[in-house]
Each structure stands twice: as C-alpha cells, then as structure tokens.
C-alpha cells in the first residue's frame, strides 16, 4: 500500500491551513454515496456554490443514489433494468460540482485533525483528505451470523446494488433451483417472493414462529398463510446452525438443530445492523442499538462539525420516547436533506419517527406503524388492543377484498399507540392515516371523527381504520369503568 497526501491540502493536521490552500473554500466530506449521503451533498450544493463549498464524497461501491428497497423487485424481474433503481448517476452528481469518488472506501476518521483516510478499493492506494465539515452516511450491513460455512460461495446478503448483481450472477451459475432464505423479516419475505418468481423452490427459515417480527404474531400468521399459498415452505421456530457445502466448497444445504434444507442459493434476510465501525474507532457516541447518536439537526452529539444520517444512526421514536434503529430509505432521504441544509448554512431538524413501514407478498399487502404489543410493554405502557375484519371497498362494489386491522390504544387515555394492517389491494397505504394520527398524538376517539374520503370504489362508509378506532374507543371507555 502507498500513502499520499495529494488530496489533503497538506497533512490534514492543519484544517485552517488546508482551507487557505483551497482559496478559502470550506470542504464538506461525505462518507457514503447513497440516500442520506448524496441527499446531504446535493442539498448543501443547492445552498452554496462551488466557489464557497467544495464537496467530496466517498463511496466504496460502483453506484450512487440508488433504491436499495427496489433490489428484491429487480431480482424477481418486476424491474427489468438495474439502472431504473438509480435516482442520480455519478456523472450527474459530478456535473453539479460534487467530487464523487466511487470504489473508494474510507478506512479511518481522524476527528482531532479533521481528516479521513481513504483507500482505492482496486489499487489499494491510500490518501488523507481534510475536512471542515463531515457527513457520516455509512448505512447498515446485513447480519451475517458466525457459523460454519457462512462465507461459502452461494451465500448472499442483499443490501447494495453490488449485492444484487452478485446474487443474480450466482443464480445464473447455480446448477439447481432450490433456495433457502434465512430470516423472515421484510427483506427475507420480499426475497422469498422474488425467488419464487424466478422459478426457485423456496424455503424460509426463521427463529420466530411466524414471519414478519415487525408485526404481532397473530398478524404475522396471516402473512404465513399467504406465503404458503405462494408455494413457499415456512420453517418457523428454528434457527440455522450451519451452512453445509459440497466437494467444491459451494453451498449445498443449511442445517438447523432438527433438519437440513437443500440449497443451491442461500439468501440472508436476518436484518441489518448500523455500519458504525469507523465511528466507533473514532470515539463517536453510539447508542444501545449500535447506531450513531445525533441531535435533532442530525449533528453527532458533542461534535459541532460532524453530522450523520441514514441507516447508521438511531432515531427518536415519537410514540415510546425511546431511541430506535429504523433502517428505511424514507428516513435516510429526509435526514440527508436536514444535514445538507445545516451543513450548507441553513437550519432544519428531523423530529423523529413513528415506525411506519409497508411491504407485500404477492397481492397481500402488509403495513404497520407505531408500537407492537411487546414494544408497548417494553416502554411500560398499559394498553387496549382490538382487531377488526372489514373490506377494502363497499361490500357490494366489485373487487371488495377482506382486510384485517389491529389497533393498540393507551389504557384510560385512549392515545393511539400502533396499527397493523394486512389485506389485499388498498390495505397498505391506509396505514398512513394512523401514521398521521400518531404524529399528531390523537386519541382513538378523536380518530373516529376524521373526515376521510369516501366513495364505494375506495372504501366502505366507515373506513376499516375508523372501524378499529371506534371499537378501540369503546374498549377504552369500558376500561375506565
């Protein structure tokens, strides 16, 4: 390896001297070239021109500003062109005077000196780059449990476009059509459907009895039934202990304590953890979930000139009042906008989240927002819970389909705590009603008066969410005695 100071404006130990060498311009350095990082860079550029602010962004992969959420739909063939997942190409960023350096991995943050060390992934050459302001947007990494065979050829994590390309190439090389997905969260369920669409025989292995641990088990059961209907085999309540390999070292099966499941391809869908190894080594503050801790301006606590956003941070849960790790592209883009505004000289804040997420299995739509039962218990809250069955449209209108809504309300106060919805067309986006109600701190009784749109093709006279709110309000009243 070689060490160079060619991009540092000096050794990086004298930030003021480095700035003088740049003609007085400040330098913003961004670590991570996807949603949060490039949103921050783009917003900072909107506020300050190249003559005032130099922007350098490092990305270790081949792509920038892409939709990681779209990868399962690309793998499954719903999205036929990889480039459709890219919101803004590296060339477009560079045309706006953002010095985006792909295939360049930051290996160290020197907070005291105000500089970062980066390594060219292909050549191994290293250099220091000084900064006046720093954005950490290192994202998250797929959970890869330590077990025999986990790094064998044919085992894939799915977090980046590079991962998606590697998986598709591996599927093309695989001799058989058997796949095992480890984990039944959002990514696991979506990847299972994608593999079914590609003609694979799919088994999903998960520690939970029911898929989608982001739901309560009674709602997860509805997802289980839909997955079984697609031809997916669910092995719940068990844990993978080993990846078994064949004579050439390639994966041939996964083993649990009770059984072996043959596999030509293994996809890890266990979840992700914040990628904060750089931050940890630099002594930056991390929370209980391993994510960076920031204030409402997304500034890293205790560091005036360092911001962080996206999947590497923890956020405030507005319902429970606790810190959480919620890795979603919606939050990453919003946080990037906040960071870019502040780094560019403006002022913006990110207040927190209520935990809204949607997904699907074939035509079954899955949505949740707020707290599950175990979340509420963990937060020390007493609550009432109701579950209602309704339809997506007026019952007499063609195409009406069943929908299940579960709602949690705080005992006695009636404050809405959470909503889960499982149903067909029109189910998932109804959760937005609850997300707004949670953000506003509405009670379930107040929700019953919401003036929602109605016409038979779109909803019954009483929307399913309001039916649940009425039932919850009645239960809260009964609990008051």
């Amino acid at each position: 390896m070689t060490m160079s100071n060619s991009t540092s404006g000096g050794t990086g130990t004298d930030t003021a001297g480095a700035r003088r060498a740049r003609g007085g311009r400040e330098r913003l350095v961004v670590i991570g070239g996807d949603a949060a990082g490039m949103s921050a860079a783009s917003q900072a550029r909107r506020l300050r021109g190249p003559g005032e602010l130099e922007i350098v962004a490092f990305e270790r992969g081949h792509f920038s500003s892409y939709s990681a959420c779209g990868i399962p739909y690309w793998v499954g063939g719903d999205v036929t062109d990889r480039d459709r997942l890219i919101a803004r190409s590296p060339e477009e960023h560079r045309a706006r005077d953002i010095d985006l350096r792909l295939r360049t991995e930051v290996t160290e943050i020197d907070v005291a000196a105000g500089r970062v060390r980066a390594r060219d992934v292909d050549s191994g050459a290293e250099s220091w780059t000084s900064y006046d302001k720093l954005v950490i947007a290192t994202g998250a990494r797929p959970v890869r449990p330590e077990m025999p065979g986990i790094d064998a050829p044919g085992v894939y994590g799915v977090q980046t476009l590079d991962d998606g390309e590697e998986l598709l190439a591996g599927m093309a090389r695989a001799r058989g059509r058997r796949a095992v997905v480890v984990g039944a969260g959002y990514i696991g369920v979506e990847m299972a459907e994608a593999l079914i669409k590609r003609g694979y025989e799919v088994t999903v292995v998960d520690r939970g009895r029911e898929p989608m641990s982001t739901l309560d088990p009674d709602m997860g059961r509805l997802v289980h039934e839909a997955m079984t209907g697609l031809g997916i085999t669910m092995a719940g309540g068990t844990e993978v202990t080993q990846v078994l390999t064949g004579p050439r070292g390639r994966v041939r099966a996964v083993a649990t304590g009770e059984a072996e499941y043959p596999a030509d391809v293994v996809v890890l869908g266990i979840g992700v953890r914040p990628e904060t190894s750089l931050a940890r080594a630099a002594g930056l503050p991390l929370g209980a979930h391993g994510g960076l801790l920031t204030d409402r301006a997304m500034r890293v606590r205790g560091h005036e000139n360092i911001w962080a956003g996206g999947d590497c941070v923890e956020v405030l849960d507005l319902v429970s009042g606790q810190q959480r790790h919620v890795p979603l592209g919606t939050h990453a883009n919003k946080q990037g906008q906040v960071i870019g505004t502040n780094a560019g000289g403006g002022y913006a804040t990110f207040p927190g989240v209520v935990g809204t997420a949607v997904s699907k299995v074939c035509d079954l739509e899955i949505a949740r927002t707020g707290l599950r039962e175990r979340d509420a218990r963990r937060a020390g809250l007493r609550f009432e819970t109701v579950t209602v069955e309704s339809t997506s449209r007026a019952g007499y209108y063609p195409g009406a389909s069943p929908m299940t809504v579960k709602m949690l309300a705080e005992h006695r106060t009636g404050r809405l705590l959470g909503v889960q919805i499982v149903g067909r067309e029109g189910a998932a986006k109804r959760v937005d009603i609850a997300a707004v109600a949670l953000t506003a701190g509405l009670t379930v009784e107040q929700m019953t008066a919401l003036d929602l749109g109605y016409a038979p093709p779109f909803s019954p006279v009483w929307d399913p969410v309001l039916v649940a709110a009425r039932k919850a309000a009645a239960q809260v009243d009964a609990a008051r005695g």
Side-chain angles (χ1 to χ4, degrees):
M1 288 186 183
T2 62
M3 181 64 69
S4 166
N5 290 314
S6 60
T7 63
S8 67
T11 64
T13 57
D14 179 5
T15 302
R19 192 188 304 176
R20 285 194 297 271
R22 297 194 297 271
R25 290 189 303 167
E26 285 188 314
R27 177 183 285 156
L28 172 66
V29 167
V30 178
I31 308 174
D34 198 10
M38 298 317 293
S39 290
S42 297
Q43 178 66 3
R45 174 57 76 227
R46 290 186 191 100
L47 296 178
R48 296 183 65 186
E52 299 176 289
L53 181 68
E54 179 185 0
I55 303 176
V56 180
F58 296 101
E59 166 56 45
R60 65 185 175 187
H62 292 88
F63 307 98
S64 67
S65 300
Y66 57 86
S67 171
C69 301
I71 293 173
Y73 308 109
W74 170 38
V75 172
D78 298 299
V79 177
T80 57
D81 183 358
R82 177 204 66 197
D83 290 348
R84 291 182 64 84
L85 299 181
I86 299 173
R88 185 168 289 170
S89 70
E91 292 74 22
E92 289 174 305
H93 284 301
R94 291 167 187 148
R96 303 184 70 230
D97 288 300
I98 297 172
D99 182 3
L100 174 58
R101 304 176 188 180
L102 298 179
R103 302 290 289 161
T104 309
E105 181 177 15
V106 173
T107 58
E108 183 181 350
I109 301 171
D110 185 345
V111 174
R115 62 180 186 167
V116 301
R117 177 162 55 184
R119 178 179 65 87
D120 185 293
V121 174
D122 298 315
S123 71
E126 294 188 340
S127 62
W128 286 100
T129 300
S130 62
Y131 65 81
D132 301 291
K133 299 177 178 180
L134 178 67
V135 175
I136 302 173
T138 44
R141 63 183 184 279
V143 174
R144 206 174 184 96
E146 293 185 11
M147 67 176 69
I150 193 66
D151 294 320
V155 180
Y156 304 94
V158 185
Q159 182 69 13
T160 67
L161 280 191
D162 293 279
D163 294 337
E165 285 201 321
E166 187 178 349
L167 172 57
L168 285 169
M171 290 166 61
R173 292 191 300 267
R175 294 186 176 182
R177 308 294 287 180
R178 299 168 301 181
V180 172
V181 177
V182 183
Y186 287 109
I187 293 297
V189 168
E190 290 168 358
M191 289 306 305
E193 181 184 355
L195 290 163
I196 281 283
K197 289 182 175 181
R198 290 288 187 178
Y200 276 75
E201 177 185 328
V202 180
T203 300
V204 176
V205 182
D206 191 68
R207 288 186 297 180
R209 290 286 177 187
E210 304 296 352
M212 301 293 289
S213 62
T214 52
L215 305 176
D216 287 323
D218 53 337
M219 299 296 279
R221 182 66 194 174
L222 302 176
V223 181
H224 187 155
E225 293 169 357
M227 293 173 69
T228 301
L230 274 177
I232 297 169
T233 300
M234 272 297 305
T238 188
E239 191 168 357
V240 174
T241 58
Q242 184 176 359
V243 176
L244 305 175
T245 57
R248 296 185 180 181
R250 186 175 177 82
V251 62
R252 67 171 179 83
V254 300
T256 68
E258 302 81 26
E260 289 184 10
Y261 300 95
D264 303 291
V265 170
V266 174
V267 176
L268 303 178
I270 306 171
V272 298
R273 294 195 181 105
E275 179 49 88
T276 49
S277 53
L278 277 175
R280 184 185 301 275
L284 299 176
L286 305 181
H289 304 282
L292 276 156
L293 295 177
T294 70
D295 61 17
R296 285 165 59 94
M298 303 309 298
R299 183 178 285 105
V300 173
R301 293 182 188 177
H303 295 269
E304 186 68 22
N305 64 337
I306 303 177
W307 292 264
D311 293 355
C312 66
V313 305
E314 295 186 11
V315 294
L316 176 65
D317 186 313
L318 297 174
V319 185
S320 70
Q322 300 174 341
Q323 293 292 122
R324 294 180 57 191
H325 179 235
V326 187
L328 288 175
T330 50
H331 305 156
N333 279 282
K334 292 172 187 173
Q335 291 163 3
Q337 288 283 308
V338 168
I339 292 169
T341 297
N342 293 322
Y347 181 72
T349 61
F350 183 81
V353 304
V354 294
T356 309
V358 296
S359 187
K360 75 177 191 69
V361 179
C362 195
D363 64 342
L364 185 76
E365 300 181 3
I366 307 155
R368 57 74 48 92
T369 190
L371 307 182
R372 300 164 296 182
E373 289 188 22
R374 60 181 176 275
D375 299 324
R377 292 191 189 98
R378 191 179 300 122
L381 298 171
R382 296 179 64 194
F383 59 91
E384 305 294 330
T385 177
V386 299
T387 301
V388 302
E389 304 287 340
S390 186
T391 56
S392 58
R393 304 173 180 177
Y396 57 80
Y397 193 88
S401 58
M403 183 184 308
T404 303
V405 181
K406 181 174 183 177
M407 184 171 288
L408 276 68
E410 190 171 19
H411 183 68
R412 292 190 176 275
T413 71
R415 176 173 67 108
L416 179 67
L417 296 179
V419 171
Q420 300 164 41
I421 305 175
V422 177
R424 260 67 190 183
E425 181 184 4
K429 289 298 285 180
R430 272 185 165 87
V431 81
D432 290 342
I433 303 168
V436 172
L438 283 167
T439 304
L442 298 185
T443 66
V444 287
E445 184 174 1
Q446 289 171 327
M447 287 182 68
T448 63
L450 290 176
D451 186 11
L452 304 183
Y454 160 70
F458 303 107
S459 171
V461 171
W462 280 92
D463 188 90
V465 173
L466 298 191
V467 173
R470 287 179 66 187
K471 187 174 180 180
Q475 195 157 308
V476 168
D477 281 342
R480 289 173 180 149

